[in-house]
Amino acid sequence: MSPALLITIAIQLGCQAFKVVYYSIRNRRLEVPRLFSTGGMPSAHSAFVAALVVSVGLVEGWSSAAFTVSVVLAAIVVFDAVRLRRTVDLHSRVLNELIALLPDRRPAFDPPVIGHSTAEVVVGIVVGAVLAAFAYLLFVA
């Protein structure tokens, strides 16, 4: 298996595990569902693609076709995390507020956080890039 893929997957899983710890401490209760949820600090999607870009660049070369593809993929994912998913998250919150006005018709639907703030995405990018470079230097180089 490619070192770039292993590094990238490890960082994705690490970010999700970090969310469990972070939100468990913050909310003073065990937040295991955060392991499988979207949204929150840091953006694991952004960390995942930033780690992919850095890992592919370091392993395959900064001028390789694989690096180019990973940059394009990262741009799409980051745009999605910042704009589209954030918009869906905001719509979800407004819908929940409207549903709360109708308590007798309230469905059993309470979606988790879906989107990301810009800060969550930026932190995800930095975490993914830095950890990928560190993992490459530690395990591959």
Side-chain angles (χ1 to χ4, degrees):
M1 187 177 281
S2 165
L5 182 59
L6 289 173
I7 290 168
T8 303
I9 290 171
I11 289 169
Q12 169 73 23
L13 295 174
C15 280
Q16 289 300 113
F18 173 82
K19 287 181 189 183
V20 172
V21 173
Y22 174 76
Y23 285 102
S24 293
I25 292 169
R26 183 176 169 190
N27 299 332
R28 296 185 182 148
R29 67 172 187 261
L30 188 58
E31 294 280 350
V32 175
R34 291 282 184 169
L35 190 60
F36 306 103
S37 70
T38 59
M41 177 66 84
S43 167
H45 289 89
S46 299
F48 184 72
V49 293
L52 177 67
V53 167
V54 171
S55 297
V56 168
L58 290 168
V59 173
E60 301 292 329
W62 301 103
S63 61
S64 68
F67 175 74
T68 303
V69 170
S70 68
V71 169
V72 171
L73 173 67
I76 293 167
V77 170
V78 168
F79 178 81
D80 177 66
V82 172
R83 300 289 299 181
L84 179 64
R85 294 171 61 86
R86 183 67 179 155
T87 300
V88 170
D89 187 41
L90 293 172
H91 288 177
S92 174
R93 290 172 196 244
V94 169
L95 285 173
N96 279 335
E97 289 174 15
L98 291 173
I99 290 170
L101 297 173
L102 305 167
D104 55 328
R105 295 185 186 174
R106 184 178 187 146
F109 176 73
D110 192 17
V113 176
I114 297 169
H116 291 289
S117 68
T118 303
E120 291 168 342
V121 171
V122 170
V123 170
I125 291 168
V126 171
V127 165
V130 169
L131 289 179
F134 182 73
Y136 175 82
L137 293 173
L138 193 62
F139 300 112
V140 180

